[in-house]
Amino acid sequence: MIKPKLFYILVLIFVVCIITTLYQMQIIRLRDKIVTLESKGPKASDRDWKTDEDNLVVLYNRVPKTGSTSFVGVAYDLCKRNKFHVLHVNITANNHILSLTNQLKFISNVTNWNAMKPALYHGHFAFPRFQQTFDDCVAKQLPDCDPNNMKPGNKWALTEAKKNLINNYFLVGVTEELEDFISVLEQTLPRVFRGATEHYVSSNRSHLRQTVQKDMPSEETVRKIKDSLIWQMENELYEFTLEHFHFQKKYTLKK
Ligand SMILES: *[C@@H]1O[C@H](CO)[C@@H](O)[C@H](O)[C@H]1NC(C)=O
Ligand SMILES: *[C@@H]1O[C@H](CO)[C@@H](O)[C@H](O)[C@H]1NC(C)=O
Ligand SMILES: *[C@@H]1O[C@H](CO)[C@@H](O)[C@H](O)[C@H]1NC(C)=O
């Protein structure tokens, strides 16, 4: 006859054994799951990557007089060959600004309109505070563009514009380096821009731009403009854009 104390000890050992076994079974089961997940891993991500590419939506924010017509022209030339859609978003009526309601409608439409994907949407979208171009501002003789009447808020606006450029845009190029801009896009978004550089260089899209010579302003006008704070700030933003673009170009087009 087993003594009660020993009996309890045996029961305890038995219970511990059962618990340990159960844990080990759990661990083995989990390990199997991990192995299954690992073996599925690369295949699953391959599939996602392909769908991602075909779901690509590019939003090109046009800025007047920066070669955007040439750029969009290249997209229209390529869309048949590369099998994507080009859509024009016309919001000129609302001064290039969408109300919150319309922003949501637009996002929902673009996101769910699968028949159009992959797509390039182009239009002139504005961040509400920055919709006016320098020309507009001067033409309307608004106080912010009067060199003698500068509001301190402009320094803030410049910082905001830099933040927007870094945080809200995939890529911002400069007109003088439109070919490089297209090359960076071709390298990073080949689904839409495959062959774009070669097409841009060999078609008359690149030549058209160079032959359109705008009248140069007089030296006096240039001096006056360069003296104004607004020009200095626009120029600072330009230099900032250029530096950032060169940085991205260097690391993207690295052979
Ligand atoms: C955009 O819309 C405005 C007004 O709604 C119209 O006058 C203009 O012709 C349109 N532009 C294009 C390119 O469709
Ligand atoms: C998006 O808007 C266009 C034009 O208004 C419309 O024809 C299309 O059906 C809309 N697509 C979706 C998914 O809402
Ligand atoms: C540019 O080339 C296209 C064909 O690629 C041609 O149809 C068009 O007329 C040309 N435009 C000019 C201004 O030469």
Side-chain angles (χ1 to χ4, degrees), residues 134 137-138 140-151 154 227-231:
F134 181 51
C137 199
V138 172
K140 289 176 188 154
Q141 298 185 307
L142 295 177
D144 267 0
C145 314
D146 181 352
N148 306 312
N149 186 20
M150 272 299 162
K151 293 236 172 93
N154 279 292
D227 274 350
S228 75
L229 192 52
I230 192 134
W231 182 85

Side-chain angles (χ1 to χ4, degrees), residues 189-202:
L189 306 169
R191 176 63 188 82
V192 163
F193 294 104
R194 183 169 290 117
T197 315
E198 147 74 16
H199 177 79
Y200 174 71
V201 174
S202 62

